[in-house]
Coordinates of all heavy atoms in Angstrom, one line a residue:
M266 N 125.1 16.3 27.0 CA 123.8 16.2 26.4 C 122.7 16.3 27.4 O 122.7 15.8 28.5 CB 123.6 14.8 25.7 CG 122.3 14.6 25.0 SD 122.4 13.1 24.1 CE 120.7 12.5 24.5
S267 N 121.6 17.1 27.1 CA 120.5 17.3 27.9 C 119.4 16.3 27.6 O 119.2 15.9 26.4 CB 119.9 18.7 27.8 OG 120.9 19.6 28.2
T268 N 118.7 15.8 28.6 CA 117.6 14.9 28.4 C 116.4 15.5 29.3 O 116.2 15.0 30.4 CB 117.9 13.5 28.8 OG1 119.1 13.0 28.1 CG2 116.8 12.5 28.5
W269 N 115.7 16.4 28.7 CA 114.6 17.1 29.5 C 113.4 16.3 29.3 O 113.0 15.9 28.2 CB 114.4 18.5 28.9 CG 115.5 19.4 29.3 CD1 116.6 19.7 28.5 CD2 115.7 20.1 30.5 NE1 117.5 20.6 29.2 CE2 116.9 20.9 30.4 CE3 115.0 20.3 31.7 CZ2 117.4 21.7 31.4 CZ3 115.4 21.1 32.7 CH2 116.6 21.8 32.6
I270 N 112.7 16.0 30.5 CA 111.4 15.4 30.5 C 110.4 16.2 31.3 O 110.9 17.0 32.2 CB 111.4 13.9 31.0 CG1 111.9 13.8 32.4 CG2 112.3 13.0 30.1 CD1 111.7 12.5 33.1
T271 N 109.2 16.1 31.0 CA 108.2 16.8 31.8 C 107.5 15.8 32.7 O 107.1 14.7 32.3 CB 107.1 17.4 30.9 OG1 107.7 18.3 30.0 CG2 106.0 18.2 31.7
C272 N 107.5 16.1 34.0 CA 106.9 15.3 35.0 C 105.8 16.1 35.8 O 105.8 17.3 35.6 CB 107.9 14.8 36.0 SG 109.0 13.6 35.3
T273 N 105.1 15.5 36.6 CA 104.1 16.2 37.5 C 104.6 16.1 38.9 O 104.8 15.1 39.5 CB 102.7 15.5 37.3 OG1 102.4 15.3 36.0 CG2 101.7 16.2 38.1
S274 N 104.7 17.3 39.5 CA 105.2 17.4 40.9 C 104.1 16.8 41.8 O 102.9 17.0 41.6 CB 105.5 18.8 41.3 OG 104.3 19.6 41.4
I275 N 104.6 16.1 42.8 CA 103.6 15.5 43.8 C 103.0 16.7 44.6 O 101.8 16.8 44.8 CB 104.3 14.5 44.8 CG1 104.5 13.2 44.0 CG2 103.5 14.3 46.0 CD1 105.1 12.1 44.8
E276 N 103.8 17.7 44.9 CA 103.4 18.9 45.6 C 102.8 19.8 44.6 O 103.5 20.3 43.7 CB 104.5 19.5 46.3 CG 104.3 19.7 47.8 CD 105.5 20.3 48.5 OE1 105.6 21.6 48.3 OE2 106.2 19.6 49.1
G277 N 101.5 20.1 44.6 CA 100.9 21.1 43.7 C 100.4 20.5 42.4 O 99.7 21.2 41.7
R278 N 100.9 19.3 42.1 CA 100.4 18.6 40.8 C 100.6 19.5 39.6 O 99.8 19.6 38.7 CB 99.0 18.2 40.9 CG 98.6 17.3 42.1 CD 99.0 15.9 41.8 NE 98.5 15.0 42.9 CZ 98.9 13.8 43.0 NH1 99.7 13.3 42.1 NH2 98.5 13.1 44.0
K279 N 101.7 20.2 39.5 CA 102.0 21.0 38.4 C 103.1 20.4 37.6 O 104.0 19.7 38.1 CB 102.5 22.4 38.9 CG 101.4 23.1 39.6 CD 101.8 24.5 40.0 CE 100.6 25.1 40.7 NZ 100.5 26.5 40.6
P280 N 103.1 20.7 36.2 CA 104.2 20.1 35.4 C 105.5 20.8 35.7 O 105.6 22.0 36.0 CB 103.7 20.5 34.0 CG 102.6 21.5 34.1 CD 102.1 21.4 35.5
I281 N 106.6 20.0 35.7 CA 107.9 20.5 35.9 C 108.9 19.9 34.9 O 108.6 18.7 34.5 CB 108.5 20.3 37.3 CG1 108.4 18.8 37.7 CG2 107.7 21.1 38.4 CD1 109.1 18.4 39.0
Q282 N 109.9 20.6 34.5 CA 110.9 20.1 33.5 C 112.1 19.6 34.3 O 112.6 20.4 35.2 CB 111.3 21.2 32.6 CG 110.2 21.7 31.7 CD 109.9 20.7 30.6 OE1 110.8 20.2 30.0 NE2 108.7 20.5 30.3
I283 N 112.6 18.4 34.0 CA 113.7 17.9 34.7 C 114.7 17.4 33.7 O 114.4 16.7 32.8 CB 113.3 16.7 35.6 CG1 112.3 17.2 36.7 CG2 114.6 16.1 36.3 CD1 111.6 16.0 37.4
N284 N 116.0 17.8 33.8 CA 117.1 17.4 33.0 C 117.6 16.1 33.6 O 118.4 16.1 34.5 CB 118.2 18.4 32.8 CG 119.2 18.0 31.9 OD1 119.2 16.9 31.3 ND2 120.2 18.9 31.6
M285 N 117.2 14.9 33.0 CA 117.5 13.6 33.5 C 119.0 13.3 33.3 O 119.6 12.4 33.9 CB 116.7 12.6 33.0 CG 115.2 12.6 33.4 SD 115.0 12.6 35.2 CE 115.5 10.9 35.6
A286 N 119.7 14.1 32.4 CA 121.1 13.9 32.2 C 121.9 14.3 33.5 O 123.0 13.8 33.7 CB 121.6 14.7 31.1
L287 N 121.3 15.1 34.4 CA 121.9 15.5 35.6 C 121.5 14.7 36.8 O 122.0 14.8 37.9 CB 121.6 17.0 35.9 CG 122.1 18.0 34.8 CD1 121.6 19.4 35.2 CD2 123.6 17.9 34.6
A288 N 120.5 13.8 36.6 CA 120.0 13.0 37.7 C 120.9 11.9 38.1 O 121.5 11.2 37.2 CB 118.6 12.4 37.3
A289 N 121.2 11.8 39.4 CA 122.1 10.8 39.9 C 121.4 9.4 39.9 O 121.9 8.4 39.6 CB 122.7 11.1 41.2
T290 N 120.1 9.5 40.3 CA 119.3 8.3 40.4 C 117.8 8.7 40.5 O 117.5 9.8 40.8 CB 119.7 7.4 41.7 OG1 119.1 6.2 41.6 CG2 119.4 8.2 42.9
Y291 N 117.0 7.7 40.3 CA 115.5 7.8 40.5 C 115.0 6.5 41.0 O 115.3 5.5 40.5 CB 114.8 8.4 39.3 CG 114.9 7.6 38.0 CD1 113.8 6.7 37.7 CD2 115.9 7.7 37.2 CE1 113.9 6.0 36.5 CE2 116.0 7.0 36.0 CZ 115.0 6.1 35.6 OH 115.0 5.4 34.5
V292 N 114.2 6.6 42.0 CA 113.6 5.4 42.7 C 112.2 5.6 43.0 O 111.7 6.7 43.2 CB 114.4 5.0 44.0 CG1 115.8 4.7 43.7 CG2 114.3 6.2 45.0
E293 N 111.4 4.5 43.1 CA 110.0 4.5 43.5 C 109.9 5.1 44.9 O 110.7 4.8 45.8 CB 109.5 3.1 43.5 CG 108.0 3.1 43.7 CD 107.4 1.7 43.5 OE1 108.1 0.8 43.0 OE2 106.2 1.5 43.9
H294 N 108.9 6.0 45.1 CA 108.8 6.7 46.4 C 107.3 7.2 46.5 O 106.9 8.0 45.6 CB 109.8 7.9 46.4 CG 109.7 8.7 47.7 ND1 110.2 8.2 48.9 CD2 109.2 9.9 47.9 CE1 110.0 9.1 49.8 NE2 109.4 10.2 49.3
K295 N 106.6 6.8 47.5 CA 105.3 7.3 47.8 C 104.3 7.2 46.6 O 103.6 8.2 46.3 CB 105.3 8.7 48.3 CG 106.0 8.9 49.6 CD 106.0 10.3 50.1 CE 106.6 10.4 51.5 NZ 106.6 11.8 52.0
G296 N 104.3 6.1 45.9 CA 103.5 5.9 44.8 C 103.9 6.6 43.5 O 103.2 6.5 42.4
G297 N 105.0 7.3 43.5 CA 105.6 8.0 42.3 C 107.0 7.7 42.3 O 107.5 6.6 42.5
T298 N 107.8 8.7 42.0 CA 109.3 8.6 41.9 C 110.0 9.7 42.6 O 109.5 10.9 42.6 CB 109.7 8.6 40.5 OG1 109.0 7.5 39.8 CG2 111.2 8.4 40.3
R299 N 111.1 9.4 43.3 CA 112.0 10.5 43.8 C 113.2 10.5 42.9 O 113.9 9.5 42.7 CB 112.4 10.2 45.2 CG 113.4 11.2 45.7 CD 113.6 11.2 47.2 NE 112.5 11.9 47.8 CZ 112.3 12.1 49.1 NH1 113.0 11.4 49.9 NH2 111.2 12.8 49.5
I300 N 113.4 11.7 42.3 CA 114.6 11.9 41.4 C 115.6 12.7 42.2 O 115.3 13.8 42.7 CB 114.1 12.6 40.2 CG1 113.0 11.8 39.4 CG2 115.3 12.9 39.2 CD1 112.3 12.6 38.3
W301 N 116.8 12.2 42.2 CA 117.9 12.9 42.9 C 118.8 13.6 41.9 O 119.4 13.0 41.1 CB 118.7 11.9 43.8 CG 119.8 12.6 44.5 CD1 121.2 12.5 44.2 CD2 119.7 13.5 45.6 NE1 121.9 13.3 45.1 CE2 121.0 13.9 46.0 CE3 118.7 13.9 46.4 CZ2 121.3 14.7 47.0 CZ3 118.9 14.8 47.4 CH2 120.2 15.2 47.7
V302 N 118.7 15.0 42.0 CA 119.5 15.8 41.1 C 120.5 16.6 42.0 O 120.1 17.7 42.5 CB 118.7 16.7 40.2 CG1 119.5 17.5 39.2 CG2 117.6 15.9 39.5
P303 N 121.7 16.1 42.2 CA 122.6 16.7 43.2 C 123.1 18.1 42.8 O 123.4 18.9 43.7 CB 123.7 15.8 43.3 CG 123.7 15.0 42.1 CD 122.3 14.9 41.6
V304 N 123.1 18.5 41.6 CA 123.6 19.8 41.2 C 122.5 20.9 41.1 O 122.8 22.0 40.8 CB 124.3 19.8 39.8 CG1 125.5 18.9 39.9 CG2 123.4 19.3 38.7
D305 N 121.3 20.5 41.5 CA 120.2 21.5 41.3 C 119.3 21.5 42.6 O 119.6 22.0 43.6 CB 119.4 21.1 40.0 CG 118.4 22.2 39.6 OD1 118.6 23.3 40.0 OD2 117.5 21.9 38.8
E306 N 118.2 20.8 42.5 CA 117.2 20.8 43.5 C 117.4 19.9 44.7 O 116.8 20.0 45.7 CB 115.8 20.5 42.9 CG 115.4 21.4 41.7 CD 114.7 22.6 42.2 OE1 114.0 22.5 43.2 OE2 114.7 23.6 41.5
G307 N 118.2 18.9 44.5 CA 118.3 17.8 45.4 C 117.3 16.7 45.0 O 117.2 16.3 43.9
A308 N 116.4 16.4 46.0 CA 115.3 15.4 45.7 C 114.1 16.1 45.1 O 113.6 17.1 45.7 CB 115.0 14.6 47.0
I309 N 113.6 15.5 44.1 CA 112.3 16.0 43.4 C 111.4 14.8 43.4 O 111.7 13.8 42.9 CB 112.6 16.5 42.0 CG1 113.7 17.6 42.0 CG2 111.3 17.0 41.4 CD1 114.2 17.9 40.6
D310 N 110.2 15.0 44.0 CA 109.2 13.9 44.0 C 108.2 14.2 43.0 O 107.6 15.3 42.9 CB 108.5 13.9 45.4 CG 109.5 13.4 46.5 OD1 110.4 12.7 46.2 OD2 109.3 13.8 47.7
V311 N 107.9 13.2 42.1 CA 107.0 13.3 41.0 C 106.0 12.2 41.0 O 106.2 11.1 41.6 CB 107.7 13.4 39.6 CG1 108.6 14.6 39.6 CG2 108.5 12.1 39.4
V312 N 104.9 12.4 40.3 CA 103.8 11.4 40.3 C 104.1 10.2 39.4 O 103.7 9.1 39.7 CB 102.5 12.1 39.7 CG1 101.4 11.2 39.4 CG2 102.0 13.2 40.7
E313 N 104.9 10.5 38.3 CA 105.2 9.4 37.4 C 106.0 8.3 38.0 O 106.8 8.5 38.9 CB 106.0 9.9 36.2 CG 105.1 10.8 35.3 CD 104.9 12.2 35.8 OE1 105.5 12.6 36.8 OE2 104.0 12.9 35.3
T314 N 105.8 7.0 37.5 CA 106.5 5.9 38.1 C 107.9 5.8 37.4 O 108.1 6.4 36.4 CB 105.8 4.6 37.7 OG1 105.8 4.4 36.3 CG2 104.3 4.6 38.3
P315 N 108.8 5.1 38.1 CA 110.1 4.9 37.5 C 110.0 4.3 36.0 O 110.8 4.7 35.2 CB 110.8 3.9 38.4 CG 110.2 4.2 39.7 CD 108.8 4.5 39.4
D316 N 109.1 3.4 35.8 CA 108.9 2.8 34.5 C 108.5 3.9 33.4 O 109.0 3.9 32.3 CB 107.9 1.7 34.5 CG 108.4 0.4 35.1 OD1 109.7 0.3 35.3 OD2 107.6 -0.4 35.5
Q317 N 107.6 4.8 33.8 CA 107.2 5.9 32.9 C 108.4 6.8 32.6 O 108.5 7.3 31.5 CB 106.0 6.7 33.6 CG 104.7 5.9 33.6 CD 103.7 6.6 34.4 OE1 103.9 7.0 35.5 NE2 102.5 6.6 33.9
I318 N 109.2 7.1 33.6 CA 110.3 8.0 33.4 C 111.3 7.3 32.5 O 111.9 7.9 31.6 CB 111.0 8.4 34.8 CG1 110.0 9.3 35.5 CG2 112.3 9.0 34.6 CD1 110.3 9.6 37.0
A319 N 111.6 6.0 32.7 CA 112.5 5.3 31.9 C 112.0 5.3 30.4 O 112.8 5.5 29.5 CB 112.7 3.9 32.4
A320 N 110.7 5.1 30.2 CA 110.2 5.1 28.9 C 110.3 6.5 28.2 O 110.6 6.6 27.0 CB 108.7 4.7 28.9
A321 N 110.1 7.6 29.0 CA 110.3 8.9 28.5 C 111.7 9.2 28.0 O 112.0 9.8 27.0 CB 109.8 10.0 29.5
I322 N 112.7 8.8 28.9 CA 114.1 8.9 28.5 C 114.4 8.1 27.3 O 115.1 8.6 26.4 CB 115.0 8.5 29.7 CG1 114.8 9.4 30.9 CG2 116.4 8.4 29.3 CD1 115.4 8.9 32.2
S323 N 113.9 6.9 27.2 CA 114.2 6.1 26.0 C 113.6 6.7 24.7 O 114.3 6.7 23.7 CB 113.6 4.7 26.2 OG 113.8 3.9 25.1
D324 N 112.4 7.3 24.8 CA 111.8 7.9 23.7 C 112.7 9.1 23.2 O 112.9 9.2 22.0 CB 110.4 8.4 24.0 CG 109.4 7.3 24.2 OD1 109.7 6.2 23.8 OD2 108.3 7.6 24.7
I325 N 113.2 9.9 24.1 CA 114.0 11.0 23.7 C 115.3 10.5 23.1 O 115.8 11.0 22.1 CB 114.3 11.9 25.0 CG1 113.0 12.6 25.4 CG2 115.4 12.9 24.7 CD1 113.1 13.2 26.8
E326 N 115.9 9.5 23.7 CA 117.2 9.0 23.1 C 117.0 8.4 21.8 O 117.8 8.6 20.9 CB 117.8 8.0 24.1 CG 118.3 8.6 25.4 CD 118.8 7.6 26.4 OE1 118.5 6.4 26.3 OE2 119.4 8.1 27.4
N327 N 115.9 7.7 21.6 CA 115.6 7.1 20.2 C 115.3 8.2 19.2 O 115.7 8.0 18.1 CB 114.4 6.1 20.3 CG 114.8 4.8 21.1 OD1 116.0 4.5 21.2 ND2 113.8 4.2 21.7
A328 N 114.6 9.2 19.6 CA 114.3 10.3 18.7 C 115.5 11.0 18.3 O 115.6 11.5 17.1 CB 113.3 11.3 19.3
S329 N 116.5 11.1 19.1 CA 117.7 11.9 18.8 C 118.6 11.1 17.8 O 119.5 11.7 17.2 CB 118.5 12.3 20.1 OG 119.1 11.1 20.7
R330 N 118.4 9.8 17.7 CA 119.2 9.0 16.8 C 118.7 9.0 15.4 O 119.4 8.5 14.5 CB 119.2 7.5 17.3 CG 119.9 7.3 18.6 CD 120.0 5.9 19.0 NE 120.5 5.8 20.4 CZ 120.0 5.1 21.3 NH1 119.0 4.3 21.1 NH2 120.6 5.0 22.5
T331 N 117.5 9.5 15.2 CA 116.9 9.5 13.8 C 117.1 10.8 13.1 O 117.5 11.8 13.6 CB 115.4 9.2 13.9 OG1 114.7 10.2 14.7 CG2 115.2 7.8 14.4

């Protein structure tokens, strides 16, 4: 199952799509979040906080249940 969210890259401040189903972990980093996706980019730094990312994932999972 894919769980695509849109985040804002720290570098360039542009929107990027990340499949969180492939993310190994995400942690607070430099005022935003570092997302580790070992099968793709490696580390991706985004502006959103870990709490905002968790909420986005939860919203997607809840929407798929309805």
Side-chain angles (χ1 to χ4, degrees):
M266 179 174 139
S267 296
T268 306
W269 290 94
I270 63 170
T271 301
C272 292
T273 308
S274 68
I275 285 183
E276 239 181 77
R278 303 278 186 195
K279 296 187 181 208
I281 56 172
Q282 296 284 318
I283 303 169
N284 184 356
M285 293 303 291
L287 300 178
T290 190
Y291 59 99
V292 294
E293 189 172 345
H294 180 72
K295 295 184 179 179
T298 302
R299 174 163 281 175
I300 303 168
W301 179 253
V302 184
V304 297
D305 193 20
E306 303 271 335
I309 304 167
D310 294 332
V311 298
V312 172
E313 290 75 16
T314 66
D316 287 341
Q317 290 170 314
I318 291 171
I322 293 168
S323 179
D324 289 347
I325 291 167
E326 289 173 349
N327 289 337
S329 70
R330 291 185 190 134
T331 58

